[in-house]
Amino acid sequence: MIFFKMPKMSIGNRTLPLPIIQGGMGVGISLAGLASAVAEQGGMGVIAANGIGMIEPDYYADGRAANIKALRSEIRRARAMSKGLIGVNIMVAANDFPQLLDTAIEEKVDALFMGAGLPIKNIPVARIRAANVLVVPIVSSGRAAELIFKYWQKTYHDVPDAVVVEGPLAGGHLGFKAEKLQDADQALEVLVPQVIAALESFQEAFHKKIPVIAAGGIFTGEDILRFLQLGAQGVQMATRFVATEECDADIRFKEAYLKCAPEDIVIIKSPVGLPGRAIRNKFLDNAAAGVRNVKRCAWRCLDQCDIKHADYCISVALDNARQGLLDQGFAFCGANAYRVEDIVTVHALFDSLKHEYEAALVGDLVTLKDEYLQTIENRLAGLRRDYRQARQRLCRLGAEYSRAWERKVNSIIEEYHKARNLSDMLRDEYESAFKKLNLFKERFPEKLAELQALLRQFQTDLVLAPAL
Ligand SMILES: Cc1cc2nc3c(=O)[nH]c(=O)nc-3n(C[C@H](O)[C@H](O)[C@H](O)COP(=O)(O)O)c2cc1C
């Protein structure tokens, strides 16, 4: 059913059939083989440019030239193998960043992914636009995204086309301090909405959609769904693509993923000056113990790395690992590398990601339906309860009303009876007094007249008596 399928993803004027970008993996882990296989399946394949010249025999004669030659040839090889979208990942911190950028522009790749530093200064924006190449910085915070976009707006009157936000579970070099990697506020689930918010005003100002691509620890189709639901338009995955037949690394590099346990995945302090996530081995144990393992420096490929103090050359160590020489180097990996069980084709990996995504979406909808039904049932139960309570209250009030009414009527009746008794009593008293008066009048009429005459005489005598 079309409804459950993974959506397409648009970046600038390009459309990806599936919202999956294969993260660039240096040194030499994602070359034309892996990138074209991913592009063929509808994702974007990405060639990692840093140290790519190490696959050339003349790298130690001229590292810069070898990098350019190898990058050009890998882009062309990938184009020949797929009509899909192909990007290039370049480390901003690399000393030949401008030359690698120029090469990718000349080869008109679909997108430039730029990380390990802020892609702000001396970016040939006019040439990038003329070549119709998309620009996608890799950041680890909303602040970094805002900084890049502000700089671009002010300096180039333009902004990048998308942003990869890489969380602390990613592989390779990490954009966090080692002690911050476990912080809850650095989780990818927190960073994605932060970066989306940071880009809002630039989308409005430039009238364009700037998709956010989530990266770091995304392992299953269910994870992809989760980050799309959080507002990301796509995901960047790397660890899962290592264990594919088409991945350009030696089989021993891939097997290191199959064999590793969670406790083998460690954070190292890389000579680049950043923490990195890798599979622990003797080489790394020696480096941690201070055993220096530097034979020579082909050319100073990184400003931050000083061969006099570095424990090893990171490019050489990674290139050795790519070739399967894991006793002379180490494998970078994401935090979920221990979950890798098989080496499969890129096609099979995409199939399982799609199925997992669809199953998760169906599961989500079933859960949503169940939650909805549950909500309605709870609401109905609540209404039933409220109705019962209201009815009980009504009965109680009715009973109280009739009780109050009865009490009032009884007291009135009682008062009436009291008044009635009083009036009866008064009437009786009046009647008996009246009777007594009449009896008195009847029995003593002559005495009464005599008394009255005496009284009159007395009053007259008083008036006539001489004054004393
Ligand atoms: C072996 C390996 C090498 C990597 N090399 C690079 C690199 O050269 N440049 C870069 O920007 N990111 C590099 N990364 C990071 C990935 O591109 C990606 O963003 C990240 O690993 C995604 O997390 P995941 O591996 O859990 O899927 C590398 C990752 C791995 C596993």
Side-chain angles (χ1 to χ4, degrees):
M1 261 188 290
I2 214 112
F3 179 67
F4 297 117
K5 293 214 176 307
M6 258 192 227
K8 293 180 181 161
M9 177 190 186
S10 294
I11 312 180
N13 56 9
R14 309 293 209 285
T15 300
L16 272 171
L18 294 171
I20 301 175
I21 289 152
Q22 162 250 310
M25 289 180 279
V27 170
I29 310 295
S30 65
L31 299 173
L34 178 58
S36 61
V38 172
E40 275 302 277
Q41 293 305 314
M44 189 180 317
V46 178
I47 297 167
N50 48 298
I52 193 170
M54 299 188 96
I55 62 171
E56 299 283 330
D58 53 355
Y59 180 77
Y60 286 93
D62 185 346
R64 282 175 189 267
N67 277 347
I68 291 170
K69 193 165 120 198
L71 180 58
R72 199 182 298 286
S73 122
E74 287 301 307
I75 295 170
R76 290 184 183 181
R77 222 158 60 80
R79 287 285 195 220
M81 288 193 278
S82 173
K83 296 247 170 303
L85 300 190
I86 300 290
V88 165
N89 175 302
I90 312 178
M91 258 172 91
V92 179
N95 267 335
D96 58 348
F97 170 73
Q99 291 80 28
L100 293 173
L101 199 60
D102 285 348
T103 309
I105 297 167
E106 282 163 26
E107 292 301 319
K108 295 188 166 43
V109 293
D110 291 294
L112 291 163
F113 293 83
M114 299 187 267
L118 300 182
I120 48 177
K121 295 212 173 112
N122 305 319
I123 306 290
V125 176
R127 272 193 293 124
I128 289 174
R129 292 301 178 213
N132 191 20
V133 176
L134 302 170
V135 178
V136 189
I138 303 169
V139 300
S140 290
S141 69
R143 227 187 100 245
E146 200 176 341
L147 219 126
I148 295 169
F149 276 68
K150 271 194 179 149
Y151 189 96
W152 270 61
Q153 182 177 36
K154 197 162 152 247
T155 315
Y156 308 121
H157 311 293
D158 197 340
V159 281
D161 304 286
V163 171
V164 171
V165 48
E166 202 181 64
L169 300 182
H173 289 120
L174 304 167
F176 304 87
K177 290 196 173 119
E179 61 274 15
K180 297 263 171 202
L181 286 169
Q182 310 283 346
D183 287 6
D185 60 352
Q186 307 287 356
L188 187 59
E189 287 79 356
V190 177
L191 299 181
V192 166
Q194 258 177 29
V195 174
I196 293 173
L199 298 181
E200 227 165 65
S201 63
F202 299 99
Q203 302 204 90
E204 276 169 28
F206 287 84
H207 306 292
K208 72 177 201 178
K209 288 214 156 69
I210 305 165
V212 167
I213 300 153
I218 295 167
F219 199 79
T220 62
E222 195 176 345
D223 295 338
I224 297 175
L225 176 65
R226 193 154 46 88
F227 282 99
L228 296 194
Q229 286 173 340
L230 267 179
Q233 303 290 308
V235 295
Q236 173 168 294
M237 298 170 68
T239 294
R240 287 224 71 182
F241 287 111
V242 169
T244 58
E245 286 175 12
E246 293 90 338
C247 170
D248 297 277
D250 186 89
I251 181 75
R252 286 167 289 182
F253 187 101
K254 301 173 191 178
E255 281 168 355
Y257 274 48
L258 302 191
K259 284 185 213 146
C260 77
E263 57 275 19
D264 300 326
I265 299 171
V266 292
I267 300 298
I268 61 159
K269 194 165 167 272
S270 149
V272 173
L274 293 168
R277 183 172 278 111
I279 301 175
R280 184 182 164 190
N281 65 3
K282 188 115 184 43
F283 180 91
L284 286 175
D285 285 348
N286 283 342
V291 178
R292 291 196 73 229
N293 189 345
V294 188
K295 295 202 177 75
R296 60 178 167 154
C297 174
W299 64 289
R300 189 148 183 194
C301 63
L302 291 163
D303 262 344
Q304 295 90 326
C305 177
D306 179 2
I307 198 69
K308 286 197 209 97
H309 302 112
D311 293 325
Y312 53 86
C313 167
I314 180 103
S315 299
V316 171
L318 294 177
D319 185 49
N320 284 338
R322 168 185 74 84
Q323 297 175 64
L325 309 172
L326 286 153
D327 53 340
Q328 295 164 56
F330 62 90
F332 268 148
C333 72
N336 282 326
Y338 71 93
R339 291 169 65 186
V340 172
E341 286 171 354
D342 296 309
I343 296 172
V344 295
T345 60
V346 168
H347 177 88
L349 176 55
F350 266 86
D351 266 0
S352 66
L353 291 174
K354 283 191 269 188
H355 285 139
E356 286 159 2
Y357 176 93
E358 287 163 19
L361 190 51
V362 172
D364 260 17
L365 290 177
V366 170
T367 315
L368 210 68
K369 186 198 84 189
D370 290 348
E371 278 172 10
Y372 182 69
L373 287 178
Q374 191 60 53
T375 311
I376 293 179
E377 266 172 30
N378 290 349
R379 179 88 193 108
L380 283 177
L383 283 173
R384 252 195 318 270
R385 195 187 51 238
D386 290 353
Y387 171 70
R388 273 200 213 107
Q389 281 172 358
R391 283 245 336 239
Q392 279 164 3
R393 187 166 152 69
L394 192 68
C395 290
R396 222 175 28 249
L397 284 173
E400 267 174 36
Y401 172 78
S402 39
R403 272 201 302 278
W405 179 249
E406 229 168 73
R407 272 200 303 276
K408 189 80 189 153
V409 169
N410 285 344
S411 85
I412 291 172
I413 292 173
E414 209 172 288
E415 274 175 39
Y416 168 78
H417 284 302
K418 273 189 206 159
R420 177 99 192 254
N421 290 341
L422 187 66
S423 114
D424 286 355
M425 197 178 78
L426 289 172
R427 190 199 57 213
D428 290 350
E429 272 180 31
Y430 169 78
E431 278 174 2
S432 98
F434 189 72
K435 275 183 197 154
K436 276 182 194 158
L437 182 67
N438 283 344
L439 202 63
F440 183 79
K441 276 185 186 169
E442 260 173 40
R443 289 200 189 153
F444 307 104
E446 60 283 5
K447 294 273 178 209
L448 203 62
E450 202 176 314
L451 272 173
Q452 282 167 344
L454 272 173
L455 196 61
R456 269 195 303 273
Q457 185 58 55
F458 180 65
Q459 282 168 338
T460 313
D461 292 348
L462 272 177
V463 173
L464 297 179
L468 292 173

Short mmCIF file of all heavy atoms in Angstrom, two decimals, residues 388-416:
data_model
loop_
_atom_site.label_atom_id
_atom_site.label_comp_id
_atom_site.label_asym_id
_atom_site.label_seq_id
_atom_site.Cartn_x
_atom_site.Cartn_y
_atom_site.Cartn_z
N ARG A 388 -23.64 9.16 36.76
CA ARG A 388 -24.10 8.47 37.98
C ARG A 388 -23.96 9.38 39.20
O ARG A 388 -24.86 9.48 40.03
CB ARG A 388 -23.29 7.19 38.19
CG ARG A 388 -23.90 6.05 37.44
CD ARG A 388 -23.42 4.72 38.02
NE ARG A 388 -23.36 3.79 36.92
CZ ARG A 388 -22.25 3.36 36.36
NH1 ARG A 388 -21.09 3.71 36.85
NH2 ARG A 388 -22.29 2.54 35.35
N GLN A 389 -22.79 10.05 39.27
CA GLN A 389 -22.56 10.94 40.42
C GLN A 389 -23.59 12.06 40.45
O GLN A 389 -24.12 12.41 41.50
CB GLN A 389 -21.15 11.53 40.35
CG GLN A 389 -20.09 10.54 40.81
CD GLN A 389 -18.67 11.03 40.55
OE1 GLN A 389 -18.48 12.09 39.99
NE2 GLN A 389 -17.70 10.24 40.97
N ALA A 390 -23.88 12.60 39.24
CA ALA A 390 -24.85 13.69 39.17
C ALA A 390 -26.23 13.20 39.63
O ALA A 390 -26.95 13.90 40.36
CB ALA A 390 -24.92 14.24 37.76
N ARG A 391 -26.55 11.97 39.20
CA ARG A 391 -27.86 11.42 39.60
C ARG A 391 -27.94 11.21 41.11
O ARG A 391 -28.93 11.53 41.76
CB ARG A 391 -28.10 10.07 38.91
CG ARG A 391 -28.50 10.23 37.47
CD ARG A 391 -29.90 9.77 37.14
NE ARG A 391 -30.46 8.79 38.02
CZ ARG A 391 -30.88 7.60 37.60
NH1 ARG A 391 -30.71 7.27 36.35
NH2 ARG A 391 -31.44 6.76 38.43
N GLN A 392 -26.84 10.67 41.67
CA GLN A 392 -26.82 10.44 43.13
C GLN A 392 -26.98 11.76 43.88
O GLN A 392 -27.71 11.87 44.86
CB GLN A 392 -25.51 9.77 43.54
CG GLN A 392 -25.53 8.27 43.29
CD GLN A 392 -24.13 7.66 43.31
OE1 GLN A 392 -23.17 8.36 43.57
NE2 GLN A 392 -24.05 6.37 43.02
N ARG A 393 -26.31 12.77 43.36
CA ARG A 393 -26.37 14.09 44.00
C ARG A 393 -27.79 14.64 43.95
O ARG A 393 -28.30 15.19 44.92
CB ARG A 393 -25.39 15.03 43.28
CG ARG A 393 -25.21 16.35 43.94
CD ARG A 393 -23.99 17.09 43.39
NE ARG A 393 -24.18 18.52 43.49
CZ ARG A 393 -24.22 19.18 44.63
NH1 ARG A 393 -24.04 18.53 45.77
NH2 ARG A 393 -24.42 20.48 44.65
N LEU A 394 -28.40 14.43 42.79
CA LEU A 394 -29.76 14.91 42.61
C LEU A 394 -30.70 14.25 43.63
O LEU A 394 -31.52 14.91 44.28
CB LEU A 394 -30.22 14.59 41.18
CG LEU A 394 -31.49 15.27 40.73
CD1 LEU A 394 -31.26 16.76 40.60
CD2 LEU A 394 -31.93 14.72 39.37
N CYS A 395 -30.58 12.92 43.79
CA CYS A 395 -31.44 12.18 44.75
C CYS A 395 -31.21 12.71 46.16
O CYS A 395 -32.15 12.90 46.94
CB CYS A 395 -31.12 10.69 44.73
SG CYS A 395 -31.64 9.93 43.21
N ARG A 396 -29.88 12.93 46.48
CA ARG A 396 -29.55 13.40 47.81
C ARG A 396 -30.21 14.76 48.06
O ARG A 396 -30.83 14.99 49.10
CB ARG A 396 -28.03 13.54 47.92
CG ARG A 396 -27.50 13.04 49.23
CD ARG A 396 -25.99 13.05 49.36
NE ARG A 396 -25.27 14.01 48.60
CZ ARG A 396 -24.50 13.69 47.57
NH1 ARG A 396 -24.37 12.43 47.20
NH2 ARG A 396 -23.85 14.64 46.91
N LEU A 397 -30.10 15.65 47.06
CA LEU A 397 -30.67 16.99 47.22
C LEU A 397 -32.19 16.91 47.35
O LEU A 397 -32.80 17.63 48.15
CB LEU A 397 -30.31 17.86 46.01
CG LEU A 397 -28.87 18.38 46.03
CD1 LEU A 397 -28.55 19.08 44.72
CD2 LEU A 397 -28.65 19.35 47.19
N GLY A 398 -32.81 15.98 46.56
CA GLY A 398 -34.27 15.80 46.63
C GLY A 398 -34.69 15.40 48.04
O GLY A 398 -35.64 15.95 48.62
N ALA A 399 -33.92 14.43 48.60
CA ALA A 399 -34.26 13.94 49.95
C ALA A 399 -34.09 15.07 50.96
O ALA A 399 -34.94 15.29 51.84
CB ALA A 399 -33.35 12.78 50.31
N GLU A 400 -32.97 15.83 50.79
CA GLU A 400 -32.71 16.95 51.72
C GLU A 400 -33.84 17.97 51.63
O GLU A 400 -34.32 18.51 52.63
CB GLU A 400 -31.39 17.65 51.35
CG GLU A 400 -30.21 17.10 52.12
CD GLU A 400 -28.90 17.69 51.64
OE1 GLU A 400 -28.87 18.88 51.29
OE2 GLU A 400 -27.91 16.93 51.59
N TYR A 401 -34.29 18.21 50.38
CA TYR A 401 -35.35 19.20 50.15
C TYR A 401 -36.63 18.78 50.87
O TYR A 401 -37.24 19.56 51.59
CB TYR A 401 -35.56 19.32 48.64
CG TYR A 401 -36.75 20.16 48.25
CD1 TYR A 401 -36.67 21.56 48.29
CD2 TYR A 401 -37.94 19.56 47.86
CE1 TYR A 401 -37.76 22.32 47.94
CE2 TYR A 401 -39.04 20.32 47.50
CZ TYR A 401 -38.95 21.71 47.54
OH TYR A 401 -40.02 22.46 47.20
N SER A 402 -37.01 17.50 50.70
CA SER A 402 -38.27 17.10 51.34
C SER A 402 -38.13 17.07 52.86
O SER A 402 -39.08 17.40 53.58
CB SER A 402 -38.81 15.78 50.79
OG SER A 402 -37.79 14.90 50.58
N ARG A 403 -36.87 16.67 53.31
CA ARG A 403 -36.69 16.69 54.77
C ARG A 403 -36.81 18.11 55.30
O ARG A 403 -37.52 18.38 56.29
CB ARG A 403 -35.31 16.13 55.13
CG ARG A 403 -35.33 14.61 55.31
CD ARG A 403 -34.16 14.14 56.13
NE ARG A 403 -32.90 14.54 55.54
CZ ARG A 403 -32.31 13.86 54.55
NH1 ARG A 403 -32.89 12.77 54.05
NH2 ARG A 403 -31.18 14.26 54.06
N ALA A 404 -36.21 19.08 54.62
CA ALA A 404 -36.24 20.48 55.06
C ALA A 404 -37.68 20.99 55.04
O ALA A 404 -38.14 21.69 55.95
CB ALA A 404 -35.37 21.32 54.15
N TRP A 405 -38.39 20.63 53.99
CA TRP A 405 -39.79 21.05 53.82
C TRP A 405 -40.63 20.55 55.00
O TRP A 405 -41.39 21.28 55.60
CB TRP A 405 -40.28 20.52 52.48
CG TRP A 405 -41.70 20.86 52.16
CD1 TRP A 405 -42.74 19.99 52.12
CD2 TRP A 405 -42.23 22.16 51.88
NE1 TRP A 405 -43.89 20.64 51.81
CE2 TRP A 405 -43.61 22.00 51.66
CE3 TRP A 405 -41.67 23.43 51.82
CZ2 TRP A 405 -44.43 23.07 51.35
CZ3 TRP A 405 -42.51 24.48 51.50
CH2 TRP A 405 -43.86 24.31 51.27
N GLU A 406 -40.41 19.24 55.32
CA GLU A 406 -41.16 18.62 56.42
C GLU A 406 -40.89 19.32 57.75
O GLU A 406 -41.80 19.65 58.51
CB GLU A 406 -40.69 17.17 56.57
CG GLU A 406 -41.83 16.17 56.64
CD GLU A 406 -41.25 14.78 56.49
OE1 GLU A 406 -40.63 14.32 57.47
OE2 GLU A 406 -41.40 14.18 55.41
N ARG A 407 -39.53 19.59 57.95
CA ARG A 407 -39.16 20.27 59.21
C ARG A 407 -39.86 21.62 59.32
O ARG A 407 -40.40 21.99 60.34
CB ARG A 407 -37.64 20.48 59.25
CG ARG A 407 -36.88 19.30 59.85
CD ARG A 407 -35.50 19.71 60.32
NE ARG A 407 -34.70 20.29 59.26
CZ ARG A 407 -33.98 19.60 58.38
NH1 ARG A 407 -33.95 18.27 58.47
NH2 ARG A 407 -33.29 20.20 57.45
N LYS A 408 -39.89 22.39 58.24
CA LYS A 408 -40.47 23.74 58.24
C LYS A 408 -41.97 23.66 58.54
O LYS A 408 -42.50 24.38 59.40
CB LYS A 408 -40.21 24.37 56.85
CG LYS A 408 -40.54 25.82 56.74
CD LYS A 408 -39.43 26.66 57.33
CE LYS A 408 -39.89 28.12 57.42
NZ LYS A 408 -39.22 28.81 58.48
N VAL A 409 -42.64 22.77 57.83
CA VAL A 409 -44.10 22.64 58.00
C VAL A 409 -44.41 22.26 59.45
O VAL A 409 -45.31 22.83 60.09
CB VAL A 409 -44.66 21.60 57.00
CG1 VAL A 409 -46.10 21.24 57.34
CG2 VAL A 409 -44.56 22.15 55.59
N ASN A 410 -43.63 21.29 59.99
CA ASN A 410 -43.89 20.85 61.37
C ASN A 410 -43.74 21.99 62.36
O ASN A 410 -44.56 22.14 63.28
CB ASN A 410 -42.91 19.74 61.76
CG ASN A 410 -43.31 18.43 61.09
OD1 ASN A 410 -44.45 18.32 60.61
ND2 ASN A 410 -42.41 17.48 61.04
N SER A 411 -42.71 22.85 62.16
CA SER A 411 -42.52 23.94 63.13
C SER A 411 -43.65 24.96 63.03
O SER A 411 -44.10 25.52 64.03
CB SER A 411 -41.14 24.57 62.97
OG SER A 411 -41.16 25.55 61.98
N ILE A 412 -44.15 25.18 61.81
CA ILE A 412 -45.27 26.13 61.65
C ILE A 412 -46.52 25.57 62.37
O ILE A 412 -47.22 26.28 63.11
CB ILE A 412 -45.56 26.40 60.16
CG1 ILE A 412 -44.38 27.21 59.57
CG2 ILE A 412 -46.86 27.16 59.97
CD1 ILE A 412 -44.42 27.39 58.07
N ILE A 413 -46.73 24.25 62.15
CA ILE A 413 -47.90 23.64 62.80
C ILE A 413 -47.81 23.76 64.32
O ILE A 413 -48.76 24.11 65.02
CB ILE A 413 -48.03 22.15 62.39
CG1 ILE A 413 -48.39 22.09 60.90
CG2 ILE A 413 -49.05 21.40 63.23
CD1 ILE A 413 -48.40 20.70 60.30
N GLU A 414 -46.55 23.53 64.79
CA GLU A 414 -46.33 23.60 66.23
C GLU A 414 -46.63 25.01 66.76
O GLU A 414 -47.36 25.19 67.76
CB GLU A 414 -44.86 23.30 66.49
CG GLU A 414 -44.59 22.69 67.82
CD GLU A 414 -43.12 22.24 67.86
OE1 GLU A 414 -42.78 21.24 67.19
OE2 GLU A 414 -42.33 22.95 68.53
N GLU A 415 -46.14 26.04 66.01
CA GLU A 415 -46.39 27.42 66.44
C GLU A 415 -47.87 27.74 66.40
O GLU A 415 -48.41 28.45 67.26
CB GLU A 415 -45.61 28.39 65.54
CG GLU A 415 -44.19 28.58 66.04
CD GLU A 415 -43.36 29.42 65.11
OE1 GLU A 415 -43.89 30.40 64.56
OE2 GLU A 415 -42.16 29.07 64.95
N TYR A 416 -48.53 27.22 65.39
CA TYR A 416 -49.97 27.47 65.26
C TYR A 416 -50.72 26.91 66.48
O TYR A 416 -51.56 27.57 67.07
CB TYR A 416 -50.48 26.82 63.96
CG TYR A 416 -51.97 26.75 63.86
CD1 TYR A 416 -52.70 27.90 63.50
CD2 TYR A 416 -52.67 25.58 64.15
CE1 TYR A 416 -54.07 27.86 63.42
CE2 TYR A 416 -54.04 25.54 64.07
CZ TYR A 416 -54.75 26.67 63.70
OH TYR A 416 -56.12 26.62 63.64
#
